Amino acid sequence: MKVVTILGKGYVKEAEERPIYEYDEKLKNSYSLKKQRYTNMLPLLIDNFGVQNIVPIFTEDARDDQIKVLEKEFKTSHIEIFNNKNFIRGDTDFYEILRIINEATNEDNEYIIDLTHGFRHIPILATISLISQSLSDTNKIKHIFFAKEIINQKKYEIIDLKEYLELANMSYMLETFDKNYTVSFVAAFENEDFENLRGELTKFSNDILANSLKALESRFDTVLRYIENIKKNEQIFTFKSSLDQIKDHIENLKQISKKRDYQKLYEMSEVLNVKGYLLNAITLLFEAIGYYCASGIEKISPKTEAYVAKFKSSDIFNSYDLTNQSRNLVKIGEKMDSYLFGMKKARTYFGSDEKKLSKKEASEYLQDIKALVCNKLEEIPNIEEFRNFIFDAENLRNNLAHSNSSDEIKNPKLNFKRLLEDYKKFCIKDDILGVSA
């Protein structure tokens, strides 16, 4: 394991003048120091991790000063550790410094980096490098050492800053999720609560982008519980705002999920549109239309209610057939051959225990149901406008789903906004099919 240290200037000190160093309580469980007093972190690292494992990143002044320190402390300069590839020739060339830091920390599978004595902006650049690397692999970074001053120039406590990388990664992950439901690729967290939330948000993202709302609804309470667990951590002030935003948003989605299907899907469609997922949004809106039409047909009369109830309880039921056929029946009326049950199924499901319906009886029954629905639809004012709205929604859905292969869509976002407004007018405000009556 290599120890990468960013050197600053050093000052030669006699043994009794050197400050005391000690590990904090966490690091004491894994490491111990050979002695208490060192001039600075470089001789401490050499003495405790072996000179062959030390990789200093240095400017000319820092190298020259530290050579004097090492000669005083060890009676040798250990000149072999000062590799020219880690030499910072110009301390204002930020890109060159980043390159040197990246290369120094990319050579080994696992390393410690010490930021204690870096010169001005160099530790900041090192931190940027570490954050970018840690997004994909935090395991590679064993520790980030920093000697915290306890008594000015007399006593230092070596602490590990690695946990702050997890805080940075968590903050980044929450921001991307809050923005567009995606979970940025970050390595697994060592903090159990962080890792639990990352895993659940990943599943949440997959479900919502797949329009798998049933699976999504089962995750609300789990995500909220993990958020509450993290909020107990006193360090979360760094991303408390993001956590609160996500919590409020998921609680809002939870409330939406309790509404009737045609309302729930419409409101989820609005949410996904805001997040920028237009295809998902139009798909949900189109499904909302289907559920609204199914509910409207069911409410027409006790006969249609019993008919739909029979379908829902049958072994041929699935929600896609119910919503798709209901939407089509409202859209095209008498042109549909049958609604829900075909001739063969109607003879079986609507016959008596002793015998099934004859073909004639089944045909008349199906025609009667369809006529009942169609006649009621024709009595509704503005039904043609509603039908045109369904056609428009279907056309936009089909074009977006098939890469605009049918007609060019000059402004799909504006078209969808109009469809949302039309849905609200026809299905929520006017309730054209009397679903809420």
Side-chain angles (χ1 to χ4, degrees), residues 55-243:
V55 181
I57 296 173
F58 54 92
T59 62
E60 183 177 9
D61 289 343
R63 178 193 60 196
D64 294 346
D65 282 353
Q66 294 293 351
I67 284 174
K68 294 175 184 178
V69 167
L70 296 177
E71 286 176 341
K72 179 69 175 178
E73 192 144 347
F74 297 122
K75 310 303 181 186
T76 178
S77 65
H78 288 303
I79 192 69
E80 70 276 11
I81 69 175
F82 297 99
N83 193 316
N84 280 336
K85 69 179 181 179
N86 300 320
F87 173 45
I88 298 173
R89 288 173 173 79
D91 59 30
T92 59
D93 188 346
F94 286 9
Y95 291 108
E96 178 65 9
I97 295 171
L98 267 177
R99 182 192 65 77
I100 292 171
I101 294 170
N102 286 341
E103 289 183 359
T105 54
N106 270 325
E107 291 185 358
D108 282 82
N109 291 330
E110 190 176 69
Y111 64 88
I112 295 171
I113 186 164
D114 168 49
L115 300 178
T116 302
H117 296 301
F119 175 70
R120 291 201 309 253
H121 51 272
I122 298 177
I124 297 174
L125 294 174
T127 303
I128 293 171
S129 174
L130 292 173
I131 290 174
S132 64
Q133 290 182 50
S134 71
L135 291 175
S136 60
D137 187 4
T138 55
N139 293 326
K140 185 177 177 182
I141 306 168
K142 184 71 173 176
H143 302 290
I144 303 172
F145 282 171
F146 182 79
K148 182 173 69 173
E149 191 172 67
I150 304 301
I151 301 175
N152 184 29
Q153 298 186 23
K154 291 183 178 181
K155 185 175 182 180
Y156 293 88
E157 182 182 56
I158 302 170
I159 62 174
D160 186 3
L161 300 179
K162 183 182 176 181
E163 63 183 291
Y164 293 97
L165 282 184
E166 294 217 331
L167 294 176
N169 287 351
M170 174 58 74
S171 181
Y172 175 61
M173 185 190 78
L174 293 175
E175 286 294 329
T176 57
F177 181 85
D178 185 54
K179 183 177 180 180
N180 56 21
Y181 287 137
T182 57
V183 176
S184 55
F185 180 76
V186 295
F189 292 103
E190 290 185 8
N191 183 296
E192 184 178 354
D193 289 329
F194 290 4
E195 179 60 16
N196 286 339
L197 183 59
R198 183 191 71 85
E200 204 62 26
L201 288 182
T202 298
K203 295 173 185 175
F204 188 101
S205 175
N206 292 337
D207 288 340
I208 202 164
L209 298 183
N211 288 342
S212 182
L213 299 190
K214 290 295 183 184
L216 180 70
E217 290 168 12
S218 69
R219 303 198 189 283
F220 293 147
D221 289 338
T222 304
V223 173
L224 291 172
R225 185 173 72 252
Y226 288 152
I227 288 175
E228 286 303 314
N229 287 345
I230 291 175
K231 289 181 70 175
K232 296 174 184 176
N233 185 334
E234 62 184 13
Q235 297 171 324
I236 65 93
F237 66 90
T238 55
F239 48 80
K240 182 178 183 299
S241 176
S242 296
L243 272 177

Side-chain angles (χ1 to χ4, degrees), residues 20-33:
I20 294 172
Y21 285 84
E22 61 181 22
Y23 288 117
D24 71 359
E25 292 302 318
K26 290 182 180 179
L27 289 174
K28 281 180 181 177
N29 293 327
S30 303
Y31 304 99
S32 61
L33 296 173

